[in-house]
Amino acid sequence: MKLLVCFKIVADLDQLTPKDYVVEEKINIDTSFVKTTINCFDESGLEFGLRLSDEAEGLNLHIEKSALTIGNSQTELYLKSLNALCYDHTIRIDSGDYDIRFKPDAVGKAIVDYAEKNQQDLIIMGRQSSEGNNFSTPQVVAEQLGTGFIPNVVDIHMMDEHRLKITTDNNGNIYEQTVKTPVVVSVGNAVISKLRVPTLRDRMKYGSKEIEQFPLRLEDKSLAGKVRSLEYVDKSRSGQVIEQKGSEAVHVLYEDYLKRRLDNI
Amino acid sequence: MSLLREEIVEELVKICGQDAVVTDTEVLQESSYDRFRKYEGYHKVFTNPLPAAVVFVKDKKEVSEILRFANANGINVVPRTGHSATEGGLETIIENSIVLDGSQMKKIIHVDTYNMQVTCECGVVLEDLENHVRELGLTTGHSPQSKPIAQMGGLVATRSIGQFSTLYGGIEDMLAGVEAVFADGTITNIKAVPRRAAGPDIRHVVLGNEGALCFITEVTVKLYKYFPEYHVCMGYVLDDMITGIRIMHDVMTEGYKPSVARLYDAEDGKEHFSHFAPGKCVILFVTEGPERISKANAEGIKEIVAKYEECEQVDSKLIETWFANLNWDAARIEEERKEVLQTKNVCCTTEISASWSAVEDIYKICKERIINEIPDITVFGAHASHCYSNGINLYFVYWYNVVDCKPEEEIQKYHLPIKKIICEETIKAGGSMCHHHGVGKHRVHWIDKEHGSALYIVKKLKAAFDPNGIMNAGTILPYKK
């Protein structure tokens, strides 16, 4: 079985303060000074790739694992780490000067280009990323490849060379299904969220392993659409400190706050 | 004759009241260890004997009564405040110990803005205290990573140090006065004065005692004017850790006083700076104080760094943002718990200090030995974060995958063998095996080599102040039945 996991490196937006949300001339927020991280849903996907490989070994099967990302040379640190975790292929598509973070058509097309040249049985993608948040890229990939698509995947297990047991979460309803490959899956709030860590020895052993480069071919239509404005979404909530203590505080909380809310129900 | 658990609890309730005495099993389990056994704790495996109770004391009188009771009945007492210790100092290694918790003693008693000192109870969270004095334009100057959770009593008891230590010093430089209760119930108050020469400096009996001599109830620390507008933040990337150590040496011995001076090797830096310095070491400085002093220090440091061609300056915003996200709060500990349980990848640390002439070899030998001798290491790095005119600290940071072993075997398979190498190599080179986390219960194995002939003084202190051995047995000195 051939497996491709697509992942995105994103800025850790938790490190930004409200005052960092300054819109530049290019209609962009500067996130270059904060740490980067693997998008959380993609991180689950990468670990699923390794877990499926472990399960395949137990079934005397082999999974050829590939991990692909689109980004600049900063992403190579993560690809090297995936080399050390024994991904068979690590691929970087250099987006060059194009900012396609908010263009799922363009991102999807780049992945499809790779997958058409390198046929895959299973493509695992995170359902959304903190940048863009459009939920669209996995659908775009499945649609363009003409394969089946399963959204909101929370767990994946290997059954045999051509079948997977996939669990999905649809608004709190859990479904388990047997799926024949090829298929594209979009990982949601999965049962595993963290990627295992390679040992120092493996990092040294695989440190010089090649990271494959794949060209980005963009069509004009995939670059259509222009960001016109950005604004900070203020999620802060108002609060009030109760000055009384103990049972007196509970009384005030009930009389001045909870009771009013209950009356309004 | 030792008392039964029920008898101990009954007496504690008599002294402090029912509400202050907790005997819930889950609380007792959580109170039987500290962050040294975090891997076991995350797996809900508890290998230490359970204490009889956790007692939340309200004042020094209650502390005194409990200690008098424990001393008369030979009951081990483990003092604590913020429960953020990292070296096993809070482990209850004797069954039916009393965990004496000062976290409810959280009054800020007096802020003296003219004499520049603040007095507070032991359970005041450092961050709360700092926020309180910041509103007055002042600072304690103390800022360990545990600032959001650590409390003043524990910070004094473990000889803590903060990120701005190169200017403000460690807690020993900040502590003006302290009140403590000893094993026999005696309440002592060491008055806060600028300096005195009335015999030995008795603050140092309390500082760093780790609950093995007394329970700290109140502390008075110095205050300083705070000028955030004059902070100058500087960061550089470079190839070689040893070059970085030499830059630190030059800065310190030329007499400059940055508040922050930190150096990360490439491995440790990977966890912090990979977005701008992949595979590189990072050295950073912050200067502060009145405008002219801060500027003069910054200029002097820049001049020294400029002599080292391999250093390349980076945008100070990179450093400022990193700094703003450095501290550990409860949410971060919870995040770590989830990550450890899923990946079985654990991060531990050991911090040492050594003279300039010894530190380079300690760094090289420890790194080489641990990478070669310990299995499943995923990261082994170090940073230097506290500098002195005569030497520097090294904070070894190591991560390992726990492979083929039960949670309760993790310490023996990984953590202690690593600690052993670091402590023994450091002591052999003439350094100290503990820079600022204390001895706890897991570095006592090398305490005789650490102190040499001076161990006599530590033993005599213990014998004098805790003759019945009821204060945090097994901490600072090995436990002997």
Side-chain angles (χ1 to χ4, degrees), chain B residues 181-192:
Chain B
V181 186
F182 283 79
D184 63 359
T186 302
I187 301 169
T188 60
N189 196 306
I190 301 173
K191 64 184 175 185

Side-chain angles (χ1 to χ4, degrees), chain A residues 138-200:
Chain A
Q139 283 97 318
V140 170
V141 171
E143 195 270 333
Q144 290 190 19
L145 285 173
T147 59
F149 171 65
I150 303 181
N152 297 322
V153 170
V154 295
D155 204 2
I156 316 173
H157 288 282
M158 193 81 187
M159 291 186 74
D160 57 38
E161 193 159 6
H162 302 291
R163 290 187 309 157
L164 301 158
K165 188 169 82 179
I166 291 183
T167 311
T168 57
D169 179 349
N170 190 355
N171 290 328
N173 297 315
I174 305 295
Y175 299 96
E176 203 175 274
Q177 51 197 308
T178 302
V179 177
K180 276 181 83 173
T181 58
V183 67
V184 174
V185 302
S186 148
V187 176
N189 290 317
V191 291
I192 49 174
S193 59
K194 300 291 178 190
L195 178 63
R196 66 191 71 177
V197 184
T199 63
L200 195 52

Side-chain angles (χ1 to χ4, degrees), chain B residues 226-255:
Chain B
Y226 187 58
F227 304 98
E229 63 274 33
Y230 303 133
H231 283 194
V232 181
C233 199
M234 297 162 280
Y236 304 84
V237 296
L238 67 162
D239 295 320
D240 185 25
M241 181 72 168
I242 301 303
T243 307
I245 291 174
R246 289 178 189 170
I247 294 171
M248 299 288 240
H249 169 269
D250 291 357
V251 168
M252 295 309 297
T253 55
E254 288 299 320

Side-chain angles (χ1 to χ4, degrees), chain A residues 15 32-36 74 77-78, chain B residues 235-237 262-284 314 318-323 326 382-383:
Chain A
Q15 291 199 345
S32 61
F33 54 90
V34 299
K35 271 181 77 170
T36 55
Q74 256 196 5
L77 191 76
Y78 296 91
Chain B
Y236 304 84
V237 296
R262 292 174 90 97
L263 166 68
Y264 285 77
D265 75 0
E267 268 293 293
D268 193 10
K270 193 166 76 74
E271 303 302 316
H272 303 269
F273 309 118
S274 58
H275 54 303
F276 68 90
K280 295 270 193 177
C281 302
V282 171
I283 189 166
L284 59 102
V314 297
L318 290 162
I319 308 299
E320 287 161 14
T321 304
W322 168 76
F323 233 126
L326 190 57
H383 63 262

